Amino acid sequence: MAQCVQSVQEFIQDSFVPLVAALCSEEAERLTRKNNLGFSELVKPFCRLTSEVHMRDPNNQLHVIKNLKIAVNNIITHSPQPGGIRKLLNDVVSVSQPAEGLVTNVITAGDYDLNISATTPWFESYRESFLQSMPASDHEFLNHYVACMLVVSSGEPEPVEQFLKLSQEQHRIQHSSEYAYPKWFIPNTLKYYVLLHDVSAGEEQRADSVYEEMKQRYGTQGCYLLKINSRGSNRGADEQIPDPWSQYLQKNSIQNQESYDDGPYTVISNKNADHLISDGLDNDIQVDGLSNNFKAHPLQLDHLSDTSSSFDGTDYIKTTSSLHESKKTSSGTPHGACLTLTDHDRIRQFIQEFTFRGLLPHIEKTIRQLNDQLISRKGLSRSLFSATKKWFSGSKVPEKSINELKNTSGLLYPPEAPELQIRKMADLCFLVQHYELAYSCYHTAKKDFLNDQAMLYAAGALEMAAVSAFLQPGAPRPYPAHYMDTAIQTYRDICKNMVLAERCVLLSAEILKSQSKYSDAAALLIRLTSEDSDLRSALLLEQAAHCFINMKSPMVRKFAFHMILAGHRYSKAGQKKHALRCYCQAMQVYKGKGWSLAEDHINFTIGRQSFTLRQLDNAVSAFRHILINDSKQPAAQQGTFLREYLYVYKNVTQLSPDGPLPQLPLPYINNSATRVFFGHDRRPAEGEKQAATHISLDQEYDCESSHQWKELEEQVVAVVNKGIIPSNFQPTQYCLNSYSDNSKFPLAVVEEPVTVEVAFRNPLKVPLLLTDLSLLWKFQPKDFSAKHNGATKELVNVAFIKKATFVRKYHMSYYSYFLL
């Protein structure tokens, strides 16, 4: 399998992380924009903890969390739309191409030595973007916000009042019926108050005073003073500060443009909006002095005619051109220009303090509350964690087959339903890496959902139960692949939700590959290919091909076949470079193995894709290979190949008219049948070249007669030279062919014509009409005054077609292609 940067455990852990919303005041956002960054972008590179974290489960047992990552995002009140997500994923794959000098794996299998891509970064980029762009749903809580950061600048006239306004705004977004997005984990969301202080411009004493007031109001564990911008504008030109944001913002730049590419305008709506800030960087809406970060989702496809999805207030429009200009301006500005390494450490320390003192205690408290509620509602005398041992150790009741269950996808549980509370507790435990408790909760929720025949909820519980079982530390329980198979079938066939089914496949395939179950992983990947998404099908087929080639006994032909299928789907998805790469890798298997029809198809496709990508030399080479061998294609297909080849050659010669003359593969020249005749009494026509005519030197070669004439000539010469034949005597040869002695240079009389007969053979079933042929030749005089130990090499005489007219069989029409 192509190697991934992350292990499967790291990949899954980073795919499901606690989400934290960020709501900033206008002044705070302006302060972070001094570094060409928003607040959520500012903290993004520092959102992975560098040390272990400890928390206690409902049984008061210490639980260790390692390598925890959180995600801080701006509040966005519109859910992403499928069209925007498709464009995002297509662009992510398009910009991720194999680098020059890409490392390859050399795999030897039987007679094959294959160079296979060692990594597939385009697939990893797609997978990461796909999982991050999934909208939050009601049947699970993994993409719901656990906490909210309220960020205010110390330069505000009344920072505490601004915190109050931001808190009220967050409460309105979460609890008002006019906002269906984003979704929140629990009604009482953790609010963390951040005072942002500009060291280079603000008053230190005033910031400390405000922070003391905040600690008295919100507690020391509920607020933080973050100091940034320690670097003045008069810094030295040679002062180099690392830019950890580029790797993150490069991924986001594609996503941020999606809402602008599908229509001429972007609509940003809010009920109580006063005015639009038209700055290229700060295109936010000010509400009572607050910066409205919950603007249109980057993947939202808004249209002016679609008023049903907008709010009741005024719609503010910004043209695409100005938005693109602002992005060009921001992309050329370095990030973090006002930050020092000390500022980097302060941001990192801020995230750690927030996680240690705010987020994790809140999650721990929430888990305990949910556990207590479930115990009281189910009448249990012990914690859910202890009780699960009893529940799962008893006799097992056979579960119904998925085909026996009826779909009640319309079933909605109320927010306080015990089934949802169990699922919520399971998701919280999963996010903080308590996989054993998470598995117990998912397993319990799965039974309840199946009893209610709530299939969407049941599939979600089965999916995460399988992942939790795999991630359990120590001696983990076997990976329940049948759980994931049932979840995939339910999502796809019953719930008709291909997005969730794809997530299951991406997760399960990585788990199976980590266990060297490549055959099962390949079957799973192929199972989700369908006609509704060419890009997804192409990526999954390519990964399936890698599974086949990385088996203990590599399945080379299955690898090649699925690479061909992947290339075809890439081509349909508009990913020409990836399509060409897949076909070229598959060609290693089919080349020279006698599968001429398969080779023809691959070469034809490579030629077309190369021509589309303006790789004309590769296109010519690919089309040439179709014509130089004995083709088994029908006449119509051979005609198609020839037309394509001539069209490509026409473009090549137009781009380089002074380049070398083309060497056409058709028709074949029978070298052994070529004959040269000297001394014909015809005179050349006016001009430098004699047009080719239907001249045939059909007189058969008579060896005995030729020998007699040679002896007669020798006798004549001997008589003339008093019985001695000169050492430089050379018998006269008027016709050179494969039977004559061609070891010596022939003699030709000045101004006498030389006739060359060239025998052609057409290997195709398509008739060829050749016109305006002329022989290209070059004369090399021999210096008889100098002594030569060896004869001068014979000059190269090659016949070229000046104009080839292709006659299509069964049709009374002609297609002319001028090559010179």
Side-chain angles (χ1 to χ4, degrees), residues 43-78:
V43 302
K44 190 176 290 291
F46 311 101
C47 285
R48 187 183 297 278
L49 302 187
T50 56
S51 59
E52 292 184 355
V53 192
H54 300 84
M55 62 176 292
R56 295 190 177 275
D57 62 23
N59 272 350
N60 209 32
Q61 298 294 319
L62 195 65
H63 170 60
V64 180
I65 306 173
K66 299 179 180 179
N67 203 33
L68 179 65
K69 178 183 177 182
I70 66 172
V72 180
N73 302 321
N74 289 332
I75 294 181
I76 298 170
T77 57
H78 293 275

Side-chain angles (χ1 to χ4, degrees), residues 575-646:
Q575 301 284 346
K576 303 299 182 184
K577 291 183 179 179
H578 288 296
L580 178 60
R581 174 181 49 75
C582 288
Y583 276 99
C584 289
Q585 289 203 354
M587 189 60 174
Q588 299 177 87
V589 176
Y590 289 101
K591 188 175 182 180
K593 299 300 179 181
W595 300 323
S596 61
L597 295 180
E599 275 194 77
D600 288 348
H601 168 74
I602 297 172
N603 275 314
F604 182 71
T605 307
I606 289 176
R608 276 196 164 181
Q609 299 291 359
S610 298
F611 180 78
T612 302
L613 297 171
R614 308 309 296 168
Q615 300 176 12
L616 299 183
D617 291 340
N618 292 339
V620 169
S621 177
F623 281 119
R624 177 182 172 84
H625 277 86
I626 304 177
L627 303 174
I628 60 177
N629 297 319
D630 290 334
S631 176
K632 297 180 181 178
Q633 300 283 357
Q637 191 64 37
Q638 290 179 358
T640 301
F641 291 163
L642 183 60
R643 283 196 302 274
E644 294 275 353
Y645 177 78
L646 294 176

Side-chain angles (χ1 to χ4, degrees), residues 135-183:
S137 58
D138 293 323
H139 79 286
E140 63 182 18
F141 303 91
L142 294 165
N143 289 338
H144 292 204
Y145 284 106
V146 182
C148 181
M149 292 181 181
L150 307 177
V151 187
V152 171
S153 170
S154 62
E156 298 275 0
E158 296 293 339
V160 177
E161 291 185 7
Q162 288 296 327
F163 277 123
L164 180 60
K165 290 181 180 179
L166 287 178
S167 179
Q168 293 173 347
E169 192 66 28
Q170 187 278 329
H171 186 273
R172 186 172 69 88
I173 294 171
Q174 179 175 356
H175 298 285
S176 174
S177 59
E178 62 182 282
Y179 294 106
Y181 201 88
K183 297 185 181 295

Side-chain angles (χ1 to χ4, degrees), residues 355-623:
T355 306
F356 293 166
R357 298 179 180 273
L359 181 62
L360 289 180
H362 172 71
I363 293 178
E364 180 181 334
K365 178 183 176 182
T366 304
I367 292 176
R368 287 179 179 274
Q369 291 176 347
L370 290 171
N371 184 68
D372 293 341
Q373 292 175 12
L374 291 171
I375 291 173
S376 62
R377 291 184 181 183
K378 287 187 174 289
L380 301 175
S381 59
R382 59 180 66 88
S383 70
L384 178 64
F385 180 69
S386 301
T388 51
K389 296 180 180 179
K390 177 181 177 181
W391 297 344
F392 303 143
S393 61
S395 59
K396 296 183 179 179
V397 179
E399 297 178 359
K400 293 183 179 180
S401 167
I402 192 67
N403 296 321
E404 298 178 298
L405 295 172
K406 297 180 180 179
N407 178 26
T408 55
S409 56
L411 174 63
L412 291 176
Y413 291 98
E416 65 278 1
E419 294 83 359
L420 284 189
Q421 301 305 310
I422 295 177
R423 174 63 201 250
K424 188 176 292 186
M425 181 175 171
D427 287 344
L428 265 183
C429 294
F430 187 89
L431 292 175
V432 294
Q433 303 176 14
H434 200 327
Y435 300 118
E436 185 177 358
L437 180 54
Y439 175 81
S440 300
C441 295
Y442 285 129
H443 199 283
T444 303
K446 178 258 301 184
K447 288 186 174 182
D448 293 337
F449 293 139
L450 286 176
N451 289 335
D452 295 337
Q453 296 192 18
M455 300 312 299
L456 179 63
Y457 295 87
L462 284 166
E463 173 189 6
M464 298 312 298
V467 177
S468 300
F470 170 75
L471 292 176
Q472 285 183 30
R477 64 183 73 237
Y479 171 61
H482 61 287
Y483 277 15
M484 197 66 87
D485 293 340
T486 304
I488 294 171
Q489 184 180 353
T490 304
Y491 282 141
R492 185 188 61 186
D493 300 334
I494 297 180
C495 304
K496 309 298 182 183
N497 193 322
M498 291 298 291
V499 173
L500 293 173
E502 182 178 354
R503 183 179 71 180
C504 286
V505 168
L506 293 176
L507 296 174
S508 188
E510 290 302 318
I511 295 173
L512 292 171
K513 286 185 292 185
S514 69
Q515 299 175 341
S516 298
K517 298 179 179 179
Y518 292 112
S519 179
D520 295 340
L524 191 63
L525 292 164
I526 295 170
R527 207 167 104 198
L528 203 68
T529 58
S530 60
E531 293 301 321
D532 65 310
S533 175
D534 290 310
L535 181 61
R536 180 188 69 235
S537 298
L539 289 162
L540 298 185
L541 285 168
E542 183 181 10
Q543 292 304 304
H546 281 282
C547 288
F548 287 123
I549 202 64
N550 281 277
M551 291 180 178
K552 190 175 182 180
S553 298
M555 305 179 74
V556 179
R557 284 177 288 181
K558 277 199 171 184
F559 160 78
F561 179 71
H562 285 85
M563 287 298 279
I564 293 293
L565 295 178
H568 175 65
R569 300 304 290 269
Y570 272 130
S571 181
K572 290 180 66 178
Q575 301 284 346
K576 303 299 182 184
K577 291 183 179 179
H578 288 296
L580 178 60
R581 174 181 49 75
C582 288
Y583 276 99
C584 289
Q585 289 203 354
M587 189 60 174
Q588 299 177 87
V589 176
Y590 289 101
K591 188 175 182 180
K593 299 300 179 181
W595 300 323
S596 61
L597 295 180
E599 275 194 77
D600 288 348
H601 168 74
I602 297 172
N603 275 314
F604 182 71
T605 307
I606 289 176
R608 276 196 164 181
Q609 299 291 359
S610 298
F611 180 78
T612 302
L613 297 171
R614 308 309 296 168
Q615 300 176 12
L616 299 183
D617 291 340
N618 292 339
V620 169
S621 177
F623 281 119

